[in-house]
């Protein structure tokens, strides 16, 4: 995709955000997913996305960002999931989710490092219209903070391990 007049958010200091015109950019990408059922109980799903977006021509004041990567866009991300579902309706699943590093500014100076986390869940039907489920996201409690957000002034902390229970009722 050839992009003309691309707009990019700039954050030179805390509280100051403005849009600039990055002039021209080129974006190439590919996304694929596959779901496979081993049998009536077991299944797996894999998804992967590749995105290469670069500024062809981007001058903002005295700064030339031509050739830099688009902020907030990982080049690679994906997931791999394995799921078991019993004929009685209960299920368990585990997923590996990951992303490559992303830049937080047009200068490509600050970034959030790449990460991979494991999420697990289980669900049990209570009735035809009610179920109880439990989950743990970021099982290993990995940190992948966005260090340097707003041009180096702010760190956005990655979500820690999260666990919970959910009751669902269909009306």
């Amino acid at each position: 995709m050839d992009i003309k007049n691309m707009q990019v958010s700039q954050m030179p200091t805390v509280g100051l955000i403005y849009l600039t015109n990055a002039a021209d950019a080129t974006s190439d990408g590919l996304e694929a997913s596959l779901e496979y059922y081993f049998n009536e109980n077991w299944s797996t799903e894999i998804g992967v996305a590749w995105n290469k977006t670069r500024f062809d021509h981007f001058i903002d004041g005295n700064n030339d960002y031509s050739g830099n990567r688009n902020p907030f866009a990982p080049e690679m991300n994906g997931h791999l999931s394995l799921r078991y579902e019993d004929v009685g309706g209960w299920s368990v699943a585990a997923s590996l989710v990951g992303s490559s590093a992303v830049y937080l500014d047009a200068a490509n100076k600050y970034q959030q490092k790449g990460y991979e986390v494991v999420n697990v869940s289980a669900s049990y039907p209570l009735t035809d219209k009610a179920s109880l489920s439990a989950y743990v996201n970021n099982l290993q409690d990995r940190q992948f903070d966005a260090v340097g957000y707003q041009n180096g002034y702010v760190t956005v902390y990655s979500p820690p391990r999260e666990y919970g229970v959910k009751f669902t009722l269909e009306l």
Side-chain angles (χ1 to χ4, degrees):
M1 173 171 34
D2 290 325
I3 306 167
K4 305 291 182 204
N5 299 316
M6 181 179 187
Q7 293 183 337
V8 178
S9 292
Q10 299 281 58
M11 296 172 252
T13 187
V14 176
L16 179 61
I17 300 172
Y18 65 93
L19 288 176
T20 58
N21 185 335
D24 301 323
T26 301
S27 182
D28 297 310
L30 182 66
E31 183 176 344
S33 64
L34 175 68
E35 187 170 10
Y36 180 76
Y37 290 86
F38 298 105
N39 56 38
E40 64 184 32
N41 303 104
W42 287 95
S43 65
T44 187
E45 181 180 338
I46 185 169
V48 65
W50 169 72
N51 170 28
K52 180 183 175 187
T53 302
R54 300 286 189 273
F55 300 125
D56 295 330
H57 177 75
F58 181 8
I59 296 175
D60 183 32
N62 293 328
N63 301 309
D64 186 352
Y65 303 130
S66 301
N68 287 7
R69 288 176 41 186
N70 187 30
F72 307 109
E75 285 206 357
M76 295 292 297
N77 63 48
H79 70 277
L80 173 64
S81 301
L82 182 63
R83 179 179 173 87
Y84 176 84
E85 188 165 347
D86 185 72
V87 291
W90 64 269
S91 64
V92 293
S95 297
L96 175 65
V97 179
S99 176
S100 64
V102 295
Y103 285 105
L104 305 172
D105 63 330
N108 291 178
K109 181 176 179 183
Y110 302 103
Q111 69 176 314
Q112 176 185 33
K113 64 183 178 179
Y115 64 88
E116 53 285 324
V117 296
V118 174
N119 302 324
V120 295
S121 64
S123 181
Y124 183 78
L126 301 172
T127 68
D128 287 346
K129 298 206 177 259
S131 65
L132 188 63
S133 57
Y135 67 90
V136 180
N137 291 335
N138 192 3
L139 182 66
Q140 331 86 295
D141 202 19
R142 291 259 169 96
Q143 290 185 334
F144 45 96
D145 303 336
V147 179
Y149 189 68
Q150 293 198 336
N151 211 27
Y153 293 99
V154 176
T155 296
V156 178
Y157 295 102
S158 54
R161 178 184 305 122
E162 175 187 6
Y163 51 91
V165 177
K166 180 172 66 171
F167 173 75
T168 304
L169 178 63
E170 295 179 33
L171 300 176

